[in-house]
Amino acid sequence: MNPEDIRLILATDCGSTTTKAILIERVGGEFRLRLRGEAPTTVEAPYEDVIVGVRNAVTEVEELSGRRILDEQGNIIRPARDAEGVDIYLSTSSAGGGLQVMVMGLVRRMTAESAQRAALGAGAIVMDVLSLDDGWETYERIQRMRQLRPDMLLISGGVDGGEVSRVVEMVELVGAAKPQARLGRQFQLPCIFAGNVQARPLVEEVLQDVAALRIVDNLRPNMDRENLGPSRQAIQEEFLRHVMSHAPGYDRLLAWVDAEVMPTPAAVGKLVQQVADAHQINVLGVDIGGATTDVFSVFDGQFTRTVSANLGMSYSISNVLAEAGLDNILRWLPEEVHPAQLSDQIRNKMLRPTTIPQSPYGLRVEQAVAREALRLALEQHKALATGLKGMRRERVVSFDQQHLGEASLIDMMKLDLLIGSGGVLSHAPRRNQAALMMIDAFEPRGVTRLAVDSIFMMPQLGVLSQVHPQAAEQVFWRDCLIPLGTCLAPAGTPRAGQAALTLEMKEQTLPVAAGEIQLVPLAEGEKRQVTLHPGRGLDVGEGPGKSRTAEIEGGVTGLVLDGRGRPLVHPAPADRAPTLTRWFGEMGMYPGEEVGNRG
Amino acid sequence: MAEARAAGTAYTPTLLIAAETTIQRERRLPLSGELHVAVGDSVAAEQVVAATALPGRVSAVNLARELNLPPGEVERWLLKRPGDTVEYNEPLAEYKAFFGFFRSQALSPASGTLEAISVVTGQALIRGESIPVELKAYVSGTVAEVQEGEALTIECTCALVQGILGVGGEAYGQLAMLAHRPEETILPTALTPEHGGKIVVAGAHLDWAVLERAREVGVSAVVAGAMRASDLDRLLGAPLGVAITGHEDLGLTVVLTEGFGEIPMAGETFDLLNAHAGQEASLNGATQIRAGVLRPEVIVPLREKTGRETPPPSGRLEVGSRVRVVREPYFGELGTVTALPPQPQVIPTEATVRVLQAKLDNGEEVTVPRANVELIER
């Protein structure tokens, strides 16, 4: 169907717990989200058929819209006619545990890390990274390959023309392990080789009876270049061919869709990339779920995705507590809390992951945990979003894999747009709560726009952008993103008693004191030319103490003038309650006089 | 249909507490092997029903590098061939030059069988002795199905209690009631050497001193309402990050029926365990709170069946349903549903969610999110 003839689009995202359907309609030349429906995903027993959940979610769309979409046989009616059917149907999927990939490379910080980036960028969960310098014994590597049962193996190693034997040596371990695929016991494990071209015939020889081998261009053809595209493409194709086709009901889902089903994170990444490219901006997106937190970034055109597999708000909430430590959770709570009780309370959420906070105190606990989960996820993202390690540089005769090119690409001063997604951000009762959680966790510097994904439809829009970029772009800006406003924050440690930042806006001069935060209303859609004057020694992007002019945008929260310093200076435990109460009060975070009350 | 779906997503699936139910448990070998039983056979819980041998650990040594030769030349100097048995530190290859004046050896890093030598890399793989694995029946019952060489299914009519979280693996023993009431917290002195090898039921709260004493007297497993998260961390030696358990080697298995903190064991759970005091039970702490949820369980095979099986949970929340609140501020309270408003309502966090109204057993009338209750169906 020609894109200009498309009027109604149905898209689903089959998540691990919920299948979400959205209906998009062209009205007066513009695509808008019309409504959404959802239903539990049905990949597991007793249904074991993804289509049941898709039909249920679509049925809800039918009931809400009054439009008939499914025919008597339960198939999607296409194309759209009067009061029934849609023109195209698309889907993403992360059900059944998503796409689980094991990665191998020669050197952990070089080819193995490049392979890890390729797999993550393709929307995979990286189960393990094996390399010759990973510290494991041979038998342990083989044991891991056998036990983890990945969906797929990605093997990198060696630059083109480099030494062959080490690569083959590693592949021989795969031969000895004879790993099995997670789904479809009778099938061979899909295995992608993206290493030294000279090693190809030997790799084929070793793996011919062991795995379903596919060979693609080297993802690290030389030390100075990464070539991740062919590997990502191959991972996604193998995902469809091997993994999805063995998951229950997916044969029909694959037959239904008008464009290839994408792994959910790959679709989100696609959308983030398109937004960054189209507007020439640096974007950071985060999706915090129950089990995992995904971070996507595009800085200076370079896309990176990471998955923090055990940072999440329900299944993984105890792990956030374990990794962050109780003190780091407590530092976001204004009330006096018994540490052991707080620990029990957080752990109970893991045991009953679908429960929700009922009291404002319970909500603050969840939002405290969310800040730490987001902070840790960004730390992990920064560690992987780096320049290439092992790069030769002029005048450097030998290369040093530890120290060259390790600077993170993530420069929070250069960040233009920060997008938050996932239940704890998208469904925060007040949008200001989402804004402050993101500011506290990510500590944006300079001038940064903030937004949340209203109902997490970025996956569906990502897959839509493959077939109808215009529709995806329109719905993204008009219905998906909720602009929260702009955060203005100087980097450095403000001096007590002085202004950390003074904002000139129209005729107003707004100083914010060191250690304080100030909320200035500026409605959605409104823009202002402003000048930022940082306090002495502080930086808003032009260098220490230098002023900066910028155009800023409002949102449902407004402008957040953050004088608390970067890195953020936390109050001493004795000052915590009054300081947090002041910050939360200024941001209008919680109802009434609730702060400090554990009721 | 929409209402049924919404209700279906509105609460945590109930943990199963059944006075009489027929269950099937699959026993699968990690690799193909041998089954010792056939369909229709009666088996005892601790009987070995299948066995296999896992391939031994693989060790590698690069002979070319050890001998300082191109990989293609290694073959000439081999002392051992693929298929040969080798001992730890035994020479696999020896290179001699200049009439034996220059000599280098490549030694085996492990005992086992020389599995392969690569002509491309010179890498030799030595596989250690295979590791025997024996599979127990786990529950006393009847073999219902076999997949030759792979797996079997055992059927058992039993009383069944699912817990909320366990640590440690399969355990067996006689059920011993240490607590007399579900809200009772026992003291370490309640445990005596007679409790060695038994599954003890400890009531409400399991504290560290009791756990230590249980290990000391060799208790097989402890079932309790709740414990402090910090005590569980201490037991595990590290904080529990994700609830995927069952492989820990702790000297005993622990099953919690309610959660963390100080929470009495649900009355019906306690009563059911109490009704089977002194009987042999099987128990597994393995828990997985993710997709494909797995809860720990206590299984007491029934000697006599009544034929009146506990019906499977309907999952229907109705006015009059008995519920337990599983989130603060009413955590652990029992009550009866008095209303199910169809429209979402604003709760004190300001979130708009589907709620229910309930009269708690302490007389208080409360409104709670439907997501925060568990149904008690029996």
Side-chain angles (χ1 to χ4, degrees):
Chain A
M1 177 175 261
N2 290 326
E4 56 268 25
D5 296 330
I6 294 174
R7 190 171 65 82
L8 278 154
I9 301 161
L10 178 70
T12 53
D13 172 40
C14 307
S16 50
T17 49
T18 313
T19 297
K20 288 143 278 193
I22 59 171
L23 182 66
I24 291 169
E25 186 172 14
R26 193 179 64 206
V27 184
E30 190 178 78
F31 285 92
R32 297 299 299 261
L33 171 75
R34 190 158 153 206
L35 43 86
R36 67 192 290 259
E38 65 177 48
T41 295
T42 49
V43 168
E44 300 197 17
Y47 303 101
E48 293 183 341
D49 183 355
V50 73
I51 291 291
V52 175
V54 169
R55 283 195 182 119
N56 285 344
V58 174
T59 304
E60 195 159 292
V61 170
E62 285 183 319
E63 287 167 1
L64 294 168
S65 65
R67 184 175 189 84
R68 188 163 164 252
I69 298 174
L70 298 169
D71 65 17
E72 285 79 7
Q73 286 77 42
N75 294 319
I76 293 169
I77 301 166
R78 274 169 292 185
R81 300 180 290 260
D82 300 329
E84 61 177 32
V86 294
D87 293 313
I88 54 170
Y89 169 61
L90 308 164
S91 191
T92 58
S93 173
S94 58
L99 165 62
Q100 304 183 6
V101 174
M102 187 171 222
V103 160
M104 295 178 83
L106 278 189
V107 180
R108 191 170 190 91
R109 306 275 280 158
M110 291 197 279
T111 44
E113 192 172 288
S114 294
Q116 195 181 356
R117 275 194 281 266
L120 287 164
I125 292 164
V126 174
M127 302 176 85
D128 207 348
V129 182
L130 301 183
S131 61
L132 293 180
D133 61 341
D134 56 16
W136 298 101
E137 295 288 337
T138 304
Y139 78 88
E140 289 173 313
R141 289 191 197 118
I142 289 176
Q143 235 167 27
R144 308 248 342 133
M145 277 188 255
R146 291 184 62 85
Q147 281 172 354
L148 286 178
R149 300 190 63 149
D151 289 321
M152 207 179 291
L153 195 58
L154 172 64
I155 306 174
S156 64
V159 296
D160 287 344
E163 201 210 1
V164 167
S165 66
R166 302 287 284 178
V167 182
V168 180
E169 205 173 299
M170 195 176 57
V171 173
E172 282 166 358
L173 299 186
V174 181
K178 300 183 180 64
Q180 284 190 312
R182 182 168 62 111
L183 300 169
R185 276 175 170 258
Q186 65 276 40
F187 298 95
Q188 285 188 322
L189 176 74
C191 177
I192 296 166
F193 178 70
N196 183 351
V197 286
Q198 271 81 12
R200 287 177 180 178
L202 302 169
V203 169
E204 271 181 317
E205 201 177 303
V206 176
L207 294 184
Q208 60 187 352
D209 298 326
V210 176
L213 179 67
R214 174 166 178 179
I215 291 175
V216 299
D217 289 351
N218 193 346
L219 56 80
R220 195 78 186 262
N222 57 55
M223 278 297 165
D224 306 345
R225 197 163 80 85
E226 249 180 9
N227 177 31
L228 306 182
S231 295
R232 283 181 179 163
Q233 184 67 32
I235 290 171
Q236 290 188 9
E237 285 168 15
E238 294 299 314
F239 171 66
L240 291 173
R241 191 181 308 163
H242 283 276
V243 185
M244 297 269 299
S245 57
H246 297 151
Y250 276 81
D251 49 343
R252 270 179 297 157
L253 183 69
L254 295 176
W256 271 11
V257 289
D258 291 300
E260 282 183 348
V261 174
M262 286 176 88
T264 302
V268 176
K270 184 98 197 151
L271 188 70
V272 171
Q273 257 175 304
Q274 288 202 344
V275 169
D277 291 348
H279 300 270
Q280 291 292 299
I281 54 175
N282 294 327
V283 181
L284 187 71
V286 61
D287 173 25
I288 177 166
T292 62
T293 297
D294 276 44
V295 181
F296 306 86
S297 69
V298 183
F299 273 79
D300 299 327
Q302 186 151 342
F303 171 69
T304 309
R305 167 184 174 245
T306 51
V307 184
S308 298
N310 288 324
L311 295 176
M313 291 306 299
S314 57
Y315 301 111
S316 305
I317 195 166
S318 292
N319 196 56
V320 178
L321 174 64
E323 285 198 26
L326 197 58
D327 285 346
N328 280 341
I329 310 278
L330 281 167
R331 67 182 176 172
W332 301 112
L333 292 173
E335 36 274 286
E336 285 292 318
V337 184
H338 189 281
Q341 276 175 4
L342 178 64
S343 173
D344 289 343
Q345 196 182 336
I346 293 172
R347 306 291 193 91
N348 279 326
K349 165 83 178 191
M350 169 184 73
L351 300 182
R352 294 179 169 92
T354 54
T355 61
I356 57 173
Q358 185 173 0
S359 67
Y361 164 70
L363 180 67
R364 278 193 291 278
V365 169
E366 290 222 358
Q367 295 186 346
V369 177
R371 284 172 170 91
E372 289 303 308
L374 293 169
R375 178 181 67 78
L376 292 168
L378 181 66
E379 265 178 26
Q380 293 179 5
H381 187 78
K382 281 179 173 172
L384 197 70
T386 59
L388 298 183
K389 282 141 199 160
M391 259 178 72
R392 290 169 200 272
R393 289 188 177 167
E394 280 186 15
R395 280 182 270 154
V396 178
V397 178
S398 62
F399 61 84
D400 178 346
Q401 65 184 68
Q402 296 300 318
H403 301 296
L404 288 185
E406 284 205 26
S408 178
L409 300 169
I410 310 302
D411 179 351
M412 297 307 281
M413 186 65 89
K414 288 189 184 164
L415 177 64
D416 298 297
L417 175 62
L418 174 56
I419 304 169
S421 178
V424 72
L425 294 173
S426 297
H427 301 312
R430 295 187 183 189
R431 297 288 183 199
N432 291 9
Q433 292 164 356
L436 195 60
M437 275 188 271
M438 288 201 283
I439 293 171
D440 288 344
F442 292 136
E443 301 190 13
R445 297 161 182 230
V447 179
T448 315
R449 280 164 65 198
L450 308 172
V452 287
D453 175 357
S454 57
I455 54 165
F456 197 50
M457 58 172 136
M458 282 165 70
Q460 294 97 322
L461 297 184
V463 68
L464 175 60
S465 72
Q466 302 266 76
V467 289
H468 204 313
Q470 184 204 7
E473 166 97 4
Q474 287 177 353
V475 177
F476 178 70
W477 289 105
R478 289 177 177 85
D479 298 310
C480 172
L481 275 201
I482 294 178
L484 297 175
T486 304
C487 175
L488 308 168
T493 307
R495 295 174 187 212
Q498 295 187 5
L501 173 72
T502 305
L503 181 74
E504 270 183 54
M505 184 168 71
K506 281 195 164 174
E507 280 84 48
Q508 285 179 296
T509 300
L510 301 162
V512 59
E516 297 303 325
I517 194 164
Q518 197 174 326
L519 183 64
V520 180
L522 185 65
E524 189 180 338
E526 288 196 35
K527 293 184 180 178
R528 294 279 187 277
Q529 254 336 102
V530 299
T531 305
L532 291 80
H533 304 289
R536 221 166 92 195
L538 303 181
D539 185 4
V540 287
E542 296 292 336
K546 292 186 178 161
S547 299
R548 170 182 177 181
T549 56
E551 186 182 68
I552 54 170
E553 288 190 40
V556 293
T557 295
L559 304 182
V560 181
L561 312 187
D562 190 348
R564 299 175 299 167
R566 295 289 186 270
L568 200 149
V569 181
H570 291 272
D575 297 332
R576 185 190 294 144
T579 308
L580 288 180
T581 304
R582 226 170 37 245
W583 292 351
F584 291 174
E586 174 62 27
M587 288 293 293
M589 291 282 280
Y590 301 103
E593 300 297 316
E594 287 290 354
V595 172
N597 171 10
R598 291 188 46 195
Chain B
M1 189 174 182
E3 170 66 22
R5 272 203 312 275
T9 58
Y11 52 83
T12 311
T14 313
L15 297 174
L16 204 58
I17 313 292
E20 182 168 335
T21 184
T22 299
I23 58 163
Q24 293 196 329
R25 290 293 175 266
E26 189 191 73
R27 311 297 286 162
R28 183 170 285 280
L29 285 166
L31 269 186
S32 293
E34 201 184 325
L35 305 187
H36 300 334
V37 291
V39 171
D41 286 358
S42 287
V43 292
E46 296 193 67
Q47 180 183 336
V48 173
V49 290
T52 188
L54 290 179
R57 292 174 170 183
V58 173
S59 305
V61 58
N62 193 305
L63 304 180
R65 231 171 281 142
E66 294 291 311
L67 302 179
N68 205 12
L69 291 173
E73 285 186 32
V74 165
E75 168 98 35
R76 265 184 78 189
W77 306 98
L78 289 178
L79 301 173
K80 296 280 180 182
R81 301 279 157 185
D84 286 355
T85 305
V86 296
E87 295 296 323
Y88 171 67
N89 260 350
E90 191 181 351
L92 299 175
E94 186 175 53
Y95 169 68
K96 290 179 195 161
F98 291 104
F99 312 103
F101 284 114
F102 290 108
R103 171 193 292 233
S104 54
Q105 285 189 332
L107 306 179
S108 177
S111 298
T113 307
L114 182 57
E115 189 166 272
I117 298 171
S118 166
V119 290
V120 180
T121 62
Q123 177 167 243
L125 299 176
I126 297 101
R127 197 174 285 277
E129 279 188 23
S130 53
I131 305 155
V133 174
E134 289 188 330
L135 199 61
K136 288 182 180 172
Y138 174 50
V139 288
S140 300
T142 309
V143 179
E145 192 189 331
V146 295
Q147 292 171 50
E148 212 40 68
E150 299 289 337
L152 66 155
T153 304
I154 295 163
E155 194 170 278
C156 165
T157 300
C158 60
L160 174 73
V161 168
Q162 277 186 334
I164 191 90
L165 176 74
V167 288
E170 293 170 1
Y172 310 88
Q174 226 177 46
L175 270 183
M177 301 301 288
L178 293 184
H180 301 96
R181 299 181 316 279
E183 63 279 7
E184 183 183 340
T185 295
I186 62 157
L187 296 171
T189 47
L191 282 155
T192 66
E194 281 174 19
H195 293 112
K198 293 186 176 171
I199 296 173
V200 300
V201 180
H205 178 72
L206 181 62
D207 73 19
W208 181 249
V210 174
L211 261 178
E212 270 194 316
R213 178 70 182 148
R215 281 211 284 204
E216 208 175 285
V217 301
V219 157
S220 168
V222 186
V223 185
M227 69 192 288
R228 282 263 174 235
S230 50
D231 285 339
L232 181 70
D233 293 347
R234 202 165 157 192
L235 178 67
L236 294 172
L240 178 70
V242 180
I244 297 174
T245 67
H247 297 291
E248 304 79 12
D249 187 8
L250 306 167
L252 83 177
T253 296
V254 176
V255 171
L256 303 179
T257 59
E258 315 304 318
F260 293 111
E262 294 184 12
I263 318 165
M265 185 179 283
E268 52 176 2
T269 307
F270 185 88
D271 292 345
L272 186 55
L273 293 172
N274 198 26
H276 294 283
Q279 292 179 26
E280 291 292 329
S282 302
L283 168 149
N284 193 353
T287 308
Q288 180 177 320
I289 308 177
R290 287 263 166 140
V293 67
L294 179 72
R295 296 286 185 181
E297 60 186 9
V298 185
I299 295 166
V300 188
L302 297 180
R303 293 181 196 133
E304 286 169 26
K305 301 167 196 173
T306 66
R308 291 189 300 276
E309 297 219 344
T310 310
S314 73
R316 285 200 67 83
L317 194 60
E318 292 160 330
V319 170
S321 293
R322 290 283 291 160
V323 290
R324 183 151 44 132
V325 187
V326 290
R327 183 91 191 218
E328 294 84 5
Y330 307 109
F331 197 133
E333 300 283 352
L334 299 171
T336 304
V337 176
T338 54
L340 286 164
Q343 292 305 318
Q345 293 191 8
V346 178
I347 59 173
T349 58
E350 298 183 335
T352 304
V353 299
R354 289 165 71 96
V355 299
L356 59 81
Q357 284 156 10
K359 183 167 187 181
L360 300 181
D361 290 358
N362 63 16
E364 200 179 345
E365 303 259 3
V366 297
T367 299
V368 288
R370 290 192 197 183
N372 292 358
V373 300
E374 281 176 357
L375 268 171
I376 301 171
E377 293 201 51
R378 289 152 296 274

